[in-house]
Amino acid sequence: MGIPLVIALYIFVLAIFVGFEVITKVPPTLHTPLMSGANAISGITIIGAMVVVGPRDANLAVALGFTALVLATINVVGGFMVTDRMLQMFRRRPGEGA
């Protein structure tokens, strides 16, 4: 049997606390590199979800893996779109002085 539910819930709450503390302590200039790191972690989530969703019979684990795959993909795509928009803010527009 897997990890008991109480331990899994403890790890989940601890991850929420650590994530909140990390996000609130990061200065605004480092948000873009932090977002890139979050995208990399979502990439790992995508790989893990693809392993779970693989060719098996349909059950709860496959449904949760598919949900994780969809949400991680949305996170990666959204993160890249936001990063691209932020980088466009630093590009020079034609007609601006040097």
Side-chain angles (χ1 to χ4, degrees):
M1 187 82 188
I3 300 174
L5 182 63
V6 175
I7 294 174
L9 186 63
Y10 175 75
I11 292 171
F12 182 69
V13 170
L14 188 62
I16 289 172
F17 177 74
V18 169
F20 179 77
E21 288 297 317
V22 168
I23 292 296
T24 56
K25 302 289 189 271
V26 171
T29 54
L30 295 178
H31 277 185
T32 300
L34 182 66
M35 197 177 333
S36 298
N39 283 340
I41 293 171
S42 290
I44 295 170
T45 304
I46 288 173
I47 292 172
M50 287 172 58
V51 168
V52 170
V53 173
R56 293 185 184 173
D57 296 332
N59 57 20
L60 180 62
V62 172
L64 291 175
F66 181 74
T67 304
L69 182 63
V70 170
L71 293 176
T73 302
I74 290 171
N75 188 28
V76 167
V77 171
F80 280 116
M81 289 175 65
V82 169
T83 302
D84 186 54
R85 184 173 176 180
M86 290 177 69
L87 291 176
Q88 285 180 358
M89 292 170 48
F90 295 105
R91 291 188 185 137
R92 291 186 183 161
R93 295 183 183 106
E96 284 188 6

